[in-house]
Amino acid sequence: MATKKTTSKTPKKKVSSVAAGAARASGERARRRSTPLLSAQATSTTQPSSPKVLSSKTAASKTAKTGSPKANAPKAPAPAAAAAAAAAAAAPSKALAAGRRAAHRPRPTASAKPSSKATKQAGIRPQSPRAKRAADEAARRHLRVAAPPVPTRASPDPTATQTDMSLPVPGVEELVSASIAAMRIAAQGAGMSPDEIERRIAATLAFLRRRIEGDYSVDEFGYDEHFAENVIFPMLRPLYRNWFRVEVRGLENIPAEGGALIVSNHSGTVAIDSLMVAQAIHDEHPRHRVMRGLGADLVFQTPFLGAFARRGGSTLAAKEDVERLFAQGELVGVFPEGFKGVGKPFKERYKLQRFGRGGFVSAALKAGVPIIPTSVVGAEEIMPIIGNMKTVARLLGLPYLPITPTFPLLGPLGFIPLPSKWIIEFGAPIETASHGSAAADDPMLVFDLTDQVRETIQQTLYSLLMQRRSVFF
């Protein structure tokens, strides 16, 4: 007879939600502790590996792979040996857990430096830059090396070529000495003495020094004596002596001092005759007087030519300026023909044009200075005028535009004057002081004196043309 088994059901104990939450939290903390961190893994790789304890499943799998469970099965350890193995396995795990906690909570290190304010409050004096440099020198003293030896300049190899040897750079003194030596050689080749070339070099250097320092004066009319004596007259002197070979006559008629009026004919297409007359008076007169020439408005309106004429002693042909020059005892030069005489054709050469209204005679009468008639022969042939481009001259604002055998055919080279032979003669002076200053307002006397001066110059020109052997000799 079968007996029925009776089973008794045990009622389950109800767990509160608080206890369940606490159990879950404790399990979560246990999992976090058992989960290895990256730093802990890196640390564990450096530590020596502990002996591994193979579980039964691992041993069974290895046995299955080898295929001989009896041969490869490990012997069961003794109870004492098992306890020792468990303790040895537990020791590395405790050290690993301690390393994980140390890597998870690193100890902070202080890296801040004390401020200057805290240093001052503590009574610590900061190190000065000089003391710091001295300390750095003392610290680097053992790092010093010996000074490199001074290189000795080896003597040049006589067998080396010019490109292999380095050339010395000359200084200023060497360049000046070489220049003077070259000028001496050139002077000897040109027939000049070395002393003369040295004197000219010294004069040039002295002129430059005075111009730079401003050691010169300019009068109220713009005359710069220092510039004229060192630039203008030396520049015109080769043209006066070697090109035109000027012959001067009647220098005794020019007074040694006091005012005088020089009246001359005007010709040459380009007004070079006024420059040659001034050069003749300056170079040939015993007192080396300077003629203050009177120029037209066009001369001083030209940019470069106007400044050059002012510095050379010329001034505007105005009555007031002439009276002031006479009052200062200057030698005044006037060319009454003006542009009519300079621009006349070659077929009318040495025929004086109209002298104007005689204003120069009136100024001489008022100042009581003598009038010196002056005749120039040779200027008519330096640039013969065979035509005149009046329309082009009117467009350019010029009184005339000449056509010569060389201009405009040769361009600017056409203005180079031909080397004709010149003769300048200063006639006997015509006294005006006996007439008195009131005679300047007498038109008949002014006209008579003007005509007398013109006829004297014309007759002198004819006489010089008869005496001249050739145009160029």
PDB file of all heavy atoms in Angstrom, residues 397-428:
ATOM      1  N   GLY A 397      57.530 132.099 -76.592  1.00  0.00           N
ATOM      2  CA  GLY A 397      57.745 133.314 -75.823  1.00  0.00           C
ATOM      3  C   GLY A 397      59.146 133.848 -75.920  1.00  0.00           C
ATOM      4  O   GLY A 397      59.620 134.528 -74.996  1.00  0.00           O
ATOM      5  N   LEU A 398      59.842 133.585 -77.041  1.00  0.00           N
ATOM      6  CA  LEU A 398      61.208 134.041 -77.241  1.00  0.00           C
ATOM      7  C   LEU A 398      61.231 135.205 -78.223  1.00  0.00           C
ATOM      8  O   LEU A 398      60.353 135.297 -79.100  1.00  0.00           O
ATOM      9  CB  LEU A 398      62.084 132.900 -77.769  1.00  0.00           C
ATOM     10  CG  LEU A 398      62.199 131.661 -76.867  1.00  0.00           C
ATOM     11  CD1 LEU A 398      62.990 130.574 -77.573  1.00  0.00           C
ATOM     12  CD2 LEU A 398      62.834 132.015 -75.537  1.00  0.00           C
ATOM     13  N   PRO A 399      62.200 136.100 -78.108  1.00  0.00           N
ATOM     14  CA  PRO A 399      62.271 137.210 -79.064  1.00  0.00           C
ATOM     15  C   PRO A 399      62.645 136.749 -80.467  1.00  0.00           C
ATOM     16  O   PRO A 399      62.262 137.387 -81.442  1.00  0.00           O
ATOM     17  CB  PRO A 399      63.349 138.125 -78.469  1.00  0.00           C
ATOM     18  CG  PRO A 399      64.161 137.239 -77.596  1.00  0.00           C
ATOM     19  CD  PRO A 399      63.228 136.205 -77.062  1.00  0.00           C
ATOM     20  N   TYR A 400      63.341 135.649 -80.606  1.00  0.00           N
ATOM     21  CA  TYR A 400      63.713 135.101 -81.915  1.00  0.00           C
ATOM     22  C   TYR A 400      64.156 133.656 -81.696  1.00  0.00           C
ATOM     23  O   TYR A 400      64.522 133.243 -80.582  1.00  0.00           O
ATOM     24  CB  TYR A 400      64.850 135.913 -82.564  1.00  0.00           C
ATOM     25  CG  TYR A 400      66.120 135.927 -81.770  1.00  0.00           C
ATOM     26  CD1 TYR A 400      67.135 134.993 -82.018  1.00  0.00           C
ATOM     27  CD2 TYR A 400      66.325 136.867 -80.757  1.00  0.00           C
ATOM     28  CE1 TYR A 400      68.292 134.998 -81.274  1.00  0.00           C
ATOM     29  CE2 TYR A 400      67.483 136.875 -80.024  1.00  0.00           C
ATOM     30  CZ  TYR A 400      68.459 135.935 -80.274  1.00  0.00           C
ATOM     31  OH  TYR A 400      69.611 135.932 -79.534  1.00  0.00           O
ATOM     32  N   LEU A 401      64.137 132.866 -82.762  1.00  0.00           N
ATOM     33  CA  LEU A 401      64.646 131.496 -82.748  1.00  0.00           C
ATOM     34  C   LEU A 401      65.489 131.318 -83.998  1.00  0.00           C
ATOM     35  O   LEU A 401      64.964 131.188 -85.107  1.00  0.00           O
ATOM     36  CB  LEU A 401      63.503 130.482 -82.720  1.00  0.00           C
ATOM     37  CG  LEU A 401      63.918 129.025 -82.476  1.00  0.00           C
ATOM     38  CD1 LEU A 401      64.611 128.885 -81.141  1.00  0.00           C
ATOM     39  CD2 LEU A 401      62.710 128.103 -82.530  1.00  0.00           C
ATOM     40  N   PRO A 402      66.806 131.351 -83.855  1.00  0.00           N
ATOM     41  CA  PRO A 402      67.671 131.454 -85.033  1.00  0.00           C
ATOM     42  C   PRO A 402      67.787 130.133 -85.794  1.00  0.00           C
ATOM     43  O   PRO A 402      67.603 129.041 -85.251  1.00  0.00           O
ATOM     44  CB  PRO A 402      69.014 131.853 -84.432  1.00  0.00           C
ATOM     45  CG  PRO A 402      69.000 131.250 -83.071  1.00  0.00           C
ATOM     46  CD  PRO A 402      67.576 131.318 -82.602  1.00  0.00           C
ATOM     47  N   ILE A 403      68.114 130.281 -87.071  1.00  0.00           N
ATOM     48  CA  ILE A 403      68.514 129.157 -87.920  1.00  0.00           C
ATOM     49  C   ILE A 403      69.954 129.431 -88.336  1.00  0.00           C
ATOM     50  O   ILE A 403      70.238 130.428 -89.007  1.00  0.00           O
ATOM     51  CB  ILE A 403      67.609 129.025 -89.150  1.00  0.00           C
ATOM     52  CG1 ILE A 403      66.162 128.775 -88.726  1.00  0.00           C
ATOM     53  CG2 ILE A 403      68.092 127.904 -90.059  1.00  0.00           C
ATOM     54  CD1 ILE A 403      65.196 128.735 -89.898  1.00  0.00           C
ATOM     55  N   THR A 404      70.844 128.575 -87.918  1.00  0.00           N
ATOM     56  CA  THR A 404      72.268 128.738 -88.193  1.00  0.00           C
ATOM     57  C   THR A 404      72.771 127.550 -89.015  1.00  0.00           C
ATOM     58  O   THR A 404      72.041 126.578 -89.211  1.00  0.00           O
ATOM     59  CB  THR A 404      73.057 128.846 -86.875  1.00  0.00           C
ATOM     60  OG1 THR A 404      73.001 127.583 -86.201  1.00  0.00           O
ATOM     61  CG2 THR A 404      72.463 129.921 -85.968  1.00  0.00           C
ATOM     62  N   PRO A 405      73.995 127.565 -89.488  1.00  0.00           N
ATOM     63  CA  PRO A 405      74.519 126.410 -90.224  1.00  0.00           C
ATOM     64  C   PRO A 405      74.559 125.125 -89.395  1.00  0.00           C
ATOM     65  O   PRO A 405      74.594 124.029 -89.970  1.00  0.00           O
ATOM     66  CB  PRO A 405      75.929 126.858 -90.629  1.00  0.00           C
ATOM     67  CG  PRO A 405      75.845 128.341 -90.694  1.00  0.00           C
ATOM     68  CD  PRO A 405      74.904 128.727 -89.597  1.00  0.00           C
ATOM     69  N   THR A 406      74.537 125.238 -88.085  1.00  0.00           N
ATOM     70  CA  THR A 406      74.596 124.042 -87.235  1.00  0.00           C
ATOM     71  C   THR A 406      73.335 123.801 -86.420  1.00  0.00           C
ATOM     72  O   THR A 406      73.162 122.719 -85.860  1.00  0.00           O
ATOM     73  CB  THR A 406      75.783 124.158 -86.279  1.00  0.00           C
ATOM     74  OG1 THR A 406      75.660 125.359 -85.506  1.00  0.00           O
ATOM     75  CG2 THR A 406      77.100 124.183 -87.053  1.00  0.00           C
ATOM     76  N   PHE A 407      72.431 124.783 -86.328  1.00  0.00           N
ATOM     77  CA  PHE A 407      71.196 124.632 -85.568  1.00  0.00           C
ATOM     78  C   PHE A 407      70.004 124.945 -86.461  1.00  0.00           C
ATOM     79  O   PHE A 407      70.040 125.942 -87.209  1.00  0.00           O
ATOM     80  CB  PHE A 407      71.179 125.582 -84.354  1.00  0.00           C
ATOM     81  CG  PHE A 407      69.953 125.467 -83.511  1.00  0.00           C
ATOM     82  CD1 PHE A 407      69.844 124.469 -82.560  1.00  0.00           C
ATOM     83  CD2 PHE A 407      68.878 126.345 -83.688  1.00  0.00           C
ATOM     84  CE1 PHE A 407      68.689 124.364 -81.782  1.00  0.00           C
ATOM     85  CE2 PHE A 407      67.734 126.247 -82.923  1.00  0.00           C
ATOM     86  CZ  PHE A 407      67.643 125.247 -81.964  1.00  0.00           C
ATOM     87  N   PRO A 408      68.963 124.129 -86.440  1.00  0.00           N
ATOM     88  CA  PRO A 408      68.697 122.945 -85.612  1.00  0.00           C
ATOM     89  C   PRO A 408      69.204 121.626 -86.195  1.00  0.00           C
ATOM     90  O   PRO A 408      68.766 120.561 -85.774  1.00  0.00           O
ATOM     91  CB  PRO A 408      67.180 122.927 -85.521  1.00  0.00           C
ATOM     92  CG  PRO A 408      66.734 123.495 -86.823  1.00  0.00           C
ATOM     93  CD  PRO A 408      67.767 124.514 -87.233  1.00  0.00           C
ATOM     94  N   LEU A 409      70.094 121.683 -87.173  1.00  0.00           N
ATOM     95  CA  LEU A 409      70.573 120.469 -87.822  1.00  0.00           C
ATOM     96  C   LEU A 409      71.267 119.536 -86.841  1.00  0.00           C
ATOM     97  O   LEU A 409      71.029 118.322 -86.844  1.00  0.00           O
ATOM     98  CB  LEU A 409      71.526 120.844 -88.960  1.00  0.00           C
ATOM     99  CG  LEU A 409      72.072 119.681 -89.806  1.00  0.00           C
ATOM    100  CD1 LEU A 409      70.937 118.954 -90.499  1.00  0.00           C
ATOM    101  CD2 LEU A 409      73.089 120.188 -90.805  1.00  0.00           C
ATOM    102  N   LEU A 410      72.110 120.090 -85.970  1.00  0.00           N
ATOM    103  CA  LEU A 410      72.848 119.279 -84.996  1.00  0.00           C
ATOM    104  C   LEU A 410      72.220 119.271 -83.611  1.00  0.00           C
ATOM    105  O   LEU A 410      72.819 118.749 -82.669  1.00  0.00           O
ATOM    106  CB  LEU A 410      74.291 119.778 -84.893  1.00  0.00           C
ATOM    107  CG  LEU A 410      75.113 119.727 -86.182  1.00  0.00           C
ATOM    108  CD1 LEU A 410      76.520 120.247 -85.917  1.00  0.00           C
ATOM    109  CD2 LEU A 410      75.158 118.313 -86.730  1.00  0.00           C
ATOM    110  N   GLY A 411      71.035 119.824 -83.477  1.00  0.00           N
ATOM    111  CA  GLY A 411      70.376 119.829 -82.177  1.00  0.00           C
ATOM    112  C   GLY A 411      71.077 120.744 -81.195  1.00  0.00           C
ATOM    113  O   GLY A 411      71.553 121.832 -81.548  1.00  0.00           O
ATOM    114  N   PRO A 412      71.183 120.338 -79.924  1.00  0.00           N
ATOM    115  CA  PRO A 412      71.866 121.185 -78.929  1.00  0.00           C
ATOM    116  C   PRO A 412      73.325 121.460 -79.262  1.00  0.00           C
ATOM    117  O   PRO A 412      73.872 122.481 -78.836  1.00  0.00           O
ATOM    118  CB  PRO A 412      71.739 120.363 -77.630  1.00  0.00           C
ATOM    119  CG  PRO A 412      70.568 119.471 -77.854  1.00  0.00           C
ATOM    120  CD  PRO A 412      70.564 119.146 -79.308  1.00  0.00           C
ATOM    121  N   LEU A 413      73.958 120.554 -80.035  1.00  0.00           N
ATOM    122  CA  LEU A 413      75.348 120.805 -80.416  1.00  0.00           C
ATOM    123  C   LEU A 413      75.491 122.007 -81.342  1.00  0.00           C
ATOM    124  O   LEU A 413      76.592 122.543 -81.499  1.00  0.00           O
ATOM    125  CB  LEU A 413      75.938 119.568 -81.096  1.00  0.00           C
ATOM    126  CG  LEU A 413      76.032 118.300 -80.229  1.00  0.00           C
ATOM    127  CD1 LEU A 413      76.560 117.151 -81.061  1.00  0.00           C
ATOM    128  CD2 LEU A 413      76.917 118.546 -79.014  1.00  0.00           C
ATOM    129  N   GLY A 414      74.381 122.425 -81.922  1.00  0.00           N
ATOM    130  CA  GLY A 414      74.433 123.585 -82.800  1.00  0.00           C
ATOM    131  C   GLY A 414      74.684 124.885 -82.080  1.00  0.00           C
ATOM    132  O   GLY A 414      75.008 125.901 -82.723  1.00  0.00           O
ATOM    133  N   PHE A 415      74.547 124.904 -80.739  1.00  0.00           N
ATOM    134  CA  PHE A 415      74.802 126.120 -79.972  1.00  0.00           C
ATOM    135  C   PHE A 415      76.259 126.246 -79.550  1.00  0.00           C
ATOM    136  O   PHE A 415      76.601 127.195 -78.833  1.00  0.00           O
ATOM    137  CB  PHE A 415      73.899 126.169 -78.737  1.00  0.00           C
ATOM    138  CG  PHE A 415      72.482 126.523 -79.055  1.00  0.00           C
ATOM    139  CD1 PHE A 415      71.507 125.545 -79.136  1.00  0.00           C
ATOM    140  CD2 PHE A 415      72.112 127.840 -79.279  1.00  0.00           C
ATOM    141  CE1 PHE A 415      70.198 125.865 -79.423  1.00  0.00           C
ATOM    142  CE2 PHE A 415      70.810 128.181 -79.570  1.00  0.00           C
ATOM    143  CZ  PHE A 415      69.837 127.185 -79.650  1.00  0.00           C
ATOM    144  N   ILE A 416      77.103 125.332 -79.947  1.00  0.00           N
ATOM    145  CA  ILE A 416      78.531 125.464 -79.657  1.00  0.00           C
ATOM    146  C   ILE A 416      79.102 126.562 -80.551  1.00  0.00           C
ATOM    147  O   ILE A 416      79.014 126.481 -81.781  1.00  0.00           O
ATOM    148  CB  ILE A 416      79.270 124.141 -79.896  1.00  0.00           C
ATOM    149  CG1 ILE A 416      78.734 123.063 -78.948  1.00  0.00           C
ATOM    150  CG2 ILE A 416      80.770 124.315 -79.703  1.00  0.00           C
ATOM    151  CD1 ILE A 416      79.351 121.709 -79.166  1.00  0.00           C
ATOM    152  N   PRO A 417      79.688 127.598 -79.967  1.00  0.00           N
ATOM    153  CA  PRO A 417      80.171 128.711 -80.797  1.00  0.00           C
ATOM    154  C   PRO A 417      81.417 128.327 -81.596  1.00  0.00           C
ATOM    155  O   PRO A 417      82.226 127.497 -81.171  1.00  0.00           O
ATOM    156  CB  PRO A 417      80.480 129.810 -79.770  1.00  0.00           C
ATOM    157  CG  PRO A 417      80.778 129.060 -78.515  1.00  0.00           C
ATOM    158  CD  PRO A 417      79.908 127.829 -78.530  1.00  0.00           C
ATOM    159  N   LEU A 418      81.578 128.981 -82.729  1.00  0.00           N
ATOM    160  CA  LEU A 418      82.765 128.770 -83.549  1.00  0.00           C
ATOM    161  C   LEU A 418      83.943 129.539 -82.946  1.00  0.00           C
ATOM    162  O   LEU A 418      83.763 130.630 -82.388  1.00  0.00           O
ATOM    163  CB  LEU A 418      82.508 129.241 -84.985  1.00  0.00           C
ATOM    164  CG  LEU A 418      81.392 128.507 -85.739  1.00  0.00           C
ATOM    165  CD1 LEU A 418      81.189 129.118 -87.125  1.00  0.00           C
ATOM    166  CD2 LEU A 418      81.680 127.028 -85.839  1.00  0.00           C
ATOM    167  N   PRO A 419      85.177 129.031 -83.078  1.00  0.00           N
ATOM    168  CA  PRO A 419      86.344 129.673 -82.434  1.00  0.00           C
ATOM    169  C   PRO A 419      86.891 130.851 -83.238  1.00  0.00           C
ATOM    170  O   PRO A 419      87.976 130.795 -83.819  1.00  0.00           O
ATOM    171  CB  PRO A 419      87.346 128.515 -82.354  1.00  0.00           C
ATOM    172  CG  PRO A 419      87.020 127.662 -83.517  1.00  0.00           C
ATOM    173  CD  PRO A 419      85.523 127.734 -83.698  1.00  0.00           C
ATOM    174  N   SER A 420      86.151 131.943 -83.247  1.00  0.00           N
ATOM    175  CA  SER A 420      86.614 133.140 -83.962  1.00  0.00           C
ATOM    176  C   SER A 420      87.599 133.925 -83.094  1.00  0.00           C
ATOM    177  O   SER A 420      87.648 133.754 -81.873  1.00  0.00           O
ATOM    178  CB  SER A 420      85.428 134.029 -84.331  1.00  0.00           C
ATOM    179  OG  SER A 420      84.725 134.410 -83.158  1.00  0.00           O
ATOM    180  N   LYS A 421      88.354 134.810 -83.759  1.00  0.00           N
ATOM    181  CA  LYS A 421      89.332 135.649 -83.048  1.00  0.00           C
ATOM    182  C   LYS A 421      88.657 136.944 -82.629  1.00  0.00           C
ATOM    183  O   LYS A 421      88.056 137.649 -83.435  1.00  0.00           O
ATOM    184  CB  LYS A 421      90.505 135.973 -83.976  1.00  0.00           C
ATOM    185  CG  LYS A 421      91.585 136.850 -83.366  1.00  0.00           C
ATOM    186  CD  LYS A 421      92.368 136.093 -82.311  1.00  0.00           C
ATOM    187  CE  LYS A 421      93.580 136.915 -81.841  1.00  0.00           C
ATOM    188  NZ  LYS A 421      93.203 138.104 -81.061  1.00  0.00           N
ATOM    189  N   TRP A 422      88.762 137.272 -81.320  1.00  0.00           N
ATOM    190  CA  TRP A 422      88.066 138.421 -80.769  1.00  0.00           C
ATOM    191  C   TRP A 422      89.057 139.555 -80.468  1.00  0.00           C
ATOM    192  O   TRP A 422      90.195 139.325 -80.098  1.00  0.00           O
ATOM    193  CB  TRP A 422      87.351 138.049 -79.475  1.00  0.00           C
ATOM    194  CG  TRP A 422      86.075 137.257 -79.680  1.00  0.00           C
ATOM    195  CD1 TRP A 422      85.830 136.335 -80.647  1.00  0.00           C
ATOM    196  CD2 TRP A 422      84.913 137.343 -78.874  1.00  0.00           C
ATOM    197  NE1 TRP A 422      84.577 135.831 -80.505  1.00  0.00           N
ATOM    198  CE2 TRP A 422      83.985 136.419 -79.422  1.00  0.00           C
ATOM    199  CE3 TRP A 422      84.550 138.080 -77.756  1.00  0.00           C
ATOM    200  CZ2 TRP A 422      82.710 136.243 -78.875  1.00  0.00           C
ATOM    201  CZ3 TRP A 422      83.285 137.895 -77.215  1.00  0.00           C
ATOM    202  CH2 TRP A 422      82.373 136.987 -77.776  1.00  0.00           C
ATOM    203  N   ILE A 423      88.522 140.798 -80.625  1.00  0.00           N
ATOM    204  CA  ILE A 423      89.244 142.010 -80.216  1.00  0.00           C
ATOM    205  C   ILE A 423      88.266 142.895 -79.457  1.00  0.00           C
ATOM    206  O   ILE A 423      87.174 143.204 -79.949  1.00  0.00           O
ATOM    207  CB  ILE A 423      89.818 142.780 -81.426  1.00  0.00           C
ATOM    208  CG1 ILE A 423      90.778 141.909 -82.216  1.00  0.00           C
ATOM    209  CG2 ILE A 423      90.522 144.052 -80.962  1.00  0.00           C
ATOM    210  CD1 ILE A 423      91.278 142.560 -83.485  1.00  0.00           C
ATOM    211  N   ILE A 424      88.638 143.277 -78.246  1.00  0.00           N
ATOM    212  CA  ILE A 424      87.823 144.173 -77.421  1.00  0.00           C
ATOM    213  C   ILE A 424      88.638 145.433 -77.165  1.00  0.00           C
ATOM    214  O   ILE A 424      89.753 145.374 -76.636  1.00  0.00           O
ATOM    215  CB  ILE A 424      87.425 143.509 -76.082  1.00  0.00           C
ATOM    216  CG1 ILE A 424      86.604 142.235 -76.326  1.00  0.00           C
ATOM    217  CG2 ILE A 424      86.635 144.478 -75.213  1.00  0.00           C
ATOM    218  CD1 ILE A 424      86.255 141.484 -75.059  1.00  0.00           C
ATOM    219  N   GLU A 425      88.064 146.572 -77.539  1.00  0.00           N
ATOM    220  CA  GLU A 425      88.751 147.850 -77.345  1.00  0.00           C
ATOM    221  C   GLU A 425      87.867 148.793 -76.539  1.00  0.00           C
ATOM    222  O   GLU A 425      86.693 149.027 -76.887  1.00  0.00           O
ATOM    223  CB  GLU A 425      89.088 148.495 -78.691  1.00  0.00           C
ATOM    224  CG  GLU A 425      89.841 149.800 -78.548  1.00  0.00           C
ATOM    225  CD  GLU A 425      90.310 150.356 -79.878  1.00  0.00           C
ATOM    226  OE1 GLU A 425      90.400 149.572 -80.843  1.00  0.00           O
ATOM    227  OE2 GLU A 425      90.590 151.569 -79.951  1.00  0.00           O
ATOM    228  N   PHE A 426      88.437 149.325 -75.442  1.00  0.00           N
ATOM    229  CA  PHE A 426      87.753 150.295 -74.599  1.00  0.00           C
ATOM    230  C   PHE A 426      88.195 151.693 -75.046  1.00  0.00           C
ATOM    231  O   PHE A 426      89.387 152.030 -74.988  1.00  0.00           O
ATOM    232  CB  PHE A 426      88.094 150.075 -73.123  1.00  0.00           C
ATOM    233  CG  PHE A 426      87.667 148.720 -72.599  1.00  0.00           C
ATOM    234  CD1 PHE A 426      88.570 147.667 -72.543  1.00  0.00           C
ATOM    235  CD2 PHE A 426      86.359 148.498 -72.191  1.00  0.00           C
ATOM    236  CE1 PHE A 426      88.190 146.443 -72.059  1.00  0.00           C
ATOM    237  CE2 PHE A 426      85.965 147.264 -71.719  1.00  0.00           C
ATOM    238  CZ  PHE A 426      86.883 146.223 -71.658  1.00  0.00           C
ATOM    239  N   GLY A 427      87.228 152.495 -75.520  1.00  0.00           N
ATOM    240  CA  GLY A 427      87.531 153.822 -76.046  1.00  0.00           C
ATOM    241  C   GLY A 427      87.771 154.841 -74.952  1.00  0.00           C
ATOM    242  O   GLY A 427      87.666 154.565 -73.742  1.00  0.00           O
ATOM    243  N   ALA A 428      88.103 156.048 -75.420  1.00  0.00           N
ATOM    244  CA  ALA A 428      88.349 157.146 -74.485  1.00  0.00           C
ATOM    245  C   ALA A 428      87.053 157.514 -73.771  1.00  0.00           C
ATOM    246  O   ALA A 428      85.968 157.554 -74.379  1.00  0.00           O
ATOM    247  CB  ALA A 428      88.890 158.355 -75.240  1.00  0.00           C
TER     248      ALA A 428
END
